[in-house]
């Protein structure tokens, strides 16, 4: 299965409806909305620039926040239009309506290479409801549809999926293409050893990913809070660490499945434990873990320990493909960030194809300044997890097949 790419299209003079992920974090200051992190906007620039250079009229659709199908000035995309204009060094028009005569009039005056941003598609209930009428009204504004909103591709909404059925050509944008290349293409038949590092807060969030990757991975390296549900399954003391009591049986099942399949499933050898979750805490090492000795009573495990770091480092050094999802500790607090940092550094130093999926893991890697030292950081949290679970993303499924 291969989808049409924006690179396959003839674009000159075409009205291109481009769906992007502009759902950026903002803050209110002195009555004005400020964008606090424009990463998502920047990630869409290669596609926007490609379209402009090819002479397309670029009509951008995006959502912002959760206005729940109603017009709400708090969620207007107007500030994003201004910011985008600064980034591309050209004017960006703004249409206060996403469908109908207002955008149609503005579009009729566009020249090749011009850019117009439509107001928040979620001001219409038809967007999240994937209404045919709203999808058709959007489709009527363009000749071609391009979806670059990977972060929203797991949602079947009018502008991410429905629209594709009412327009002759629906293609993936450059960011979408890159996401699929790394999270799907590279992992179809990964160079081996294929090592999967999993952490984060809950094993329940990652069960689908663990099961899907159990068919492919040679080794799992487990960390983060999810490790302690596996500890519990093995009868290792967990102290006050976060354990999902209702997932202990499932953890046992996963351990047995790994054994049956000959997949190495490594748990922390040691941990950092603390009695205080704070930026000034001084965690101590649990020492080596055994069935009799794990996390101390009244202490909480918040990071992997030095022995585990050394072990995981050597596993990463020997890998040819590494996929990482989920921080190995509470990396937001410096005293509990060493495990996550060490793993990020090991990935940065390795020659393996290194792929990071998951919102917090990507934040961690970027926070350590290592974002450009790994092969790929996904821009989609939920979408990347669903893709790794082997699910079909509606926003991808709706695109036109390559002839
Ligand atoms: P991602 O967004 O990369 O998929 P998750 O959302 O699953 O990752 O988990 C991220 C969160 O897990 C972080 O906020 C981190 O603080 C938390 N976390 C990691 N290790 C622990 C731990 N040992 N105890 C409690 N929380 C943890
Ligand atoms: Mg997260």
């Amino acid at each position: 299965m291969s989808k049409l790419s924006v690179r396959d299209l003839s674009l000159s003079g075409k009205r291109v409806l481009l769906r992007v992920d502009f759902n950026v974090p903002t803050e209110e200051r002195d009555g004005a909305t400020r964008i606090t992190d424009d990463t998502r906007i920047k990630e869409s620039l290669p596609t926007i620039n490609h379209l402009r250079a090819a002479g397309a009229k670029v009509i951008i659709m995006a959502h912002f926040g959760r206005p729940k199908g109603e017009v709400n000035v708090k969620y207007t995309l107007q500030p994003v239009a201004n910011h985008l204009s600064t980034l591309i060094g050209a004017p960006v028009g703004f249409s206060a309506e996403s469908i109908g005569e207002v955008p149609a009039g503005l579009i009729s005056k566009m020249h090749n290479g011009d850019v117009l941003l439509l107001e928040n598609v979620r001001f219409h209930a038809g967007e999240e409801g994937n209404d045919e009428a709203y999808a058709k009204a959007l489709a009527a504004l363009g000749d071609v549809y391009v979806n670059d909103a990977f972060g929203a591709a797991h949602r079947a909404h009018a502008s991410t999926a429905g629209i594709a059925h009412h327009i002759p050509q629906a293609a993936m944008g450059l960011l979408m293409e890159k996401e699929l290349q790394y999270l799907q293409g590279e992992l179809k038949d990964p160079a081996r050893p294929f090592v999967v590092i999993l952490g984060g807060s809950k094993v329940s969030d990652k069960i689908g990913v663990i099961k899907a990757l159990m068919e492919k991975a040679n080794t799992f390296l487990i960390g983060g809070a999810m490790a302690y549900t596996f500890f519990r399954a093995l009868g290792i003391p967990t102290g006050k660490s976060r354990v999902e009591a209702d997932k202990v049986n499932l953890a046992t099942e996963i351990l047995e499945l790994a054994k049956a399949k000959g997949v190495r499933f490594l748990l922390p050898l040691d941990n950092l434990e603390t009695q205080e979750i704070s930026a000034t805490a001084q965690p101590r090492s649990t020492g080596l873990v055994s069935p009799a000795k794990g996390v101390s009573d009244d202490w909480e495990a918040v990071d992997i320990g030095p022995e585990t770091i050394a072990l995981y480092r050597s596993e990463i050094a020997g890998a040819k493909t590494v996929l990482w999802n989920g921080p190995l500790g509470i990396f937001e607090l410096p005293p509990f960030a060493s495990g996550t940092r060490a793993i990020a550094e090991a990935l940065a130093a390795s020659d393996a194809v290194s792929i990071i999926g998951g919102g917090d893991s990507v934040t961690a890697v970027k926070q350590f300044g290592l974002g450009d030292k790994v092969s790929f950081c996904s821009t989609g949290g939920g979408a990347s997890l669903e893709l790794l679970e082997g699910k079909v993303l509606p926003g991808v499924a709706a695109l036109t097949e390559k002839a």
Side-chain angles (χ1 to χ4, degrees), residues 220-270:
F220 282 88
L221 308 178
I222 304 296
M226 80 151 77
Y228 310 109
T229 301
F230 287 102
F231 274 28
R232 178 70 61 80
L234 292 167
I236 300 168
T238 53
K240 282 192 165 163
S241 311
R242 220 193 265 185
V243 171
E244 284 178 276
D246 60 333
K247 294 293 178 292
V248 174
N249 288 339
L250 196 80
T252 306
E253 231 173 77
I254 289 169
L255 292 169
E256 281 167 1
L257 187 66
K259 198 177 274 174
K261 289 196 175 286
V263 174
R264 297 165 70 232
F265 200 89
L266 309 187
L267 295 170
L269 299 174
D270 60 348

Side-chain angles (χ1 to χ4, degrees), residues 81-331:
N82 301 339
H83 191 78
L84 178 62
S85 168
T86 313
L87 291 177
I88 65 173
V92 172
F94 182 72
S95 171
E97 235 317 339
S98 56
I99 52 169
E101 284 169 15
V102 175
L106 293 168
I107 291 165
S108 70
K109 296 191 197 83
M110 285 174 83
H111 297 109
N112 293 359
D114 281 356
V115 181
L116 176 74
L117 176 63
L118 304 181
E119 181 58 288
N120 195 343
V121 287
R122 289 195 183 169
F123 282 2
H124 287 265
E127 165 62 4
E128 291 183 81
N130 198 11
D131 275 9
E132 194 171 335
Y134 184 61
K136 273 186 176 166
L138 286 172
L141 298 173
D143 305 305
V144 180
Y145 170 68
V146 174
N147 190 354
D148 216 18
F150 177 73
H154 57 316
R155 310 264 181 243
H157 293 168
S159 70
T160 61
I163 183 173
H165 303 294
H166 305 291
I167 204 157
Q169 285 184 308
M172 50 189 177
L174 300 175
L175 174 63
M176 179 75 87
E177 195 174 5
K178 204 159 113 188
E179 293 275 1
L180 296 177
Q181 179 200 328
Y182 279 101
L183 294 172
Q184 215 167 40
E186 290 284 349
L187 302 181
K188 209 162 265 168
D189 186 17
R192 296 178 179 283
F194 175 28
V195 172
V196 176
I197 309 164
L198 283 180
S201 53
K202 292 198 221 141
V203 65
S204 53
D205 289 343
K206 310 286 164 84
I207 290 157
V209 175
I210 296 175
K211 287 197 170 158
L213 292 173
M214 194 64 87
E215 306 299 323
K216 291 207 176 139
N218 299 100
T219 304
F220 282 88
L221 308 178
I222 304 296
M226 80 151 77
Y228 310 109
T229 301
F230 287 102
F231 274 28
R232 178 70 61 80
L234 292 167
I236 300 168
T238 53
K240 282 192 165 163
S241 311
R242 220 193 265 185
V243 171
E244 284 178 276
D246 60 333
K247 294 293 178 292
V248 174
N249 288 339
L250 196 80
T252 306
E253 231 173 77
I254 289 169
L255 292 169
E256 281 167 1
L257 187 66
K259 198 177 274 174
K261 289 196 175 286
V263 174
R264 297 165 70 232
F265 200 89
L266 309 187
L267 295 170
L269 299 174
D270 60 348
N271 310 274
L272 293 188
E273 57 180 17
T274 185
Q275 287 189 306
E276 180 200 340
I277 305 287
S278 85
T280 52
Q282 293 189 315
R284 67 181 191 188
S285 171
T286 57
L288 286 178
V289 165
S290 71
K293 190 181 162 299
V295 185
S296 311
D297 288 350
D298 294 327
W299 291 65
E300 179 177 350
V302 286
D303 197 3
I304 55 174
E307 298 284 342
T308 311
I309 290 176
L311 171 68
Y312 287 6
R313 254 200 198 126
S314 72
E315 293 288 335
I316 292 165
K320 287 274 192 295
T321 308
V322 186
L323 172 70
W324 179 18
N325 172 275
L328 297 145
I330 306 179
F331 76 97

Side-chain angles (χ1 to χ4, degrees), residues 65-76:
R66 297 179 182 276
K68 303 213 168 100
E70 281 169 22
V71 177
N72 183 339
V73 287
K74 199 174 147 205
Y75 298 113
T76 178

Side-chain angles (χ1 to χ4, degrees), residues 1-5 7-8 170 172 177 399-403:
M1 179 211 72
S2 159
K3 297 295 186 180
L4 203 61
S5 156
R7 293 177 294 115
D8 304 322
M172 50 189 177
E177 195 174 5
L399 300 176
T400 311
E401 294 285 324
K402 215 177 220 167

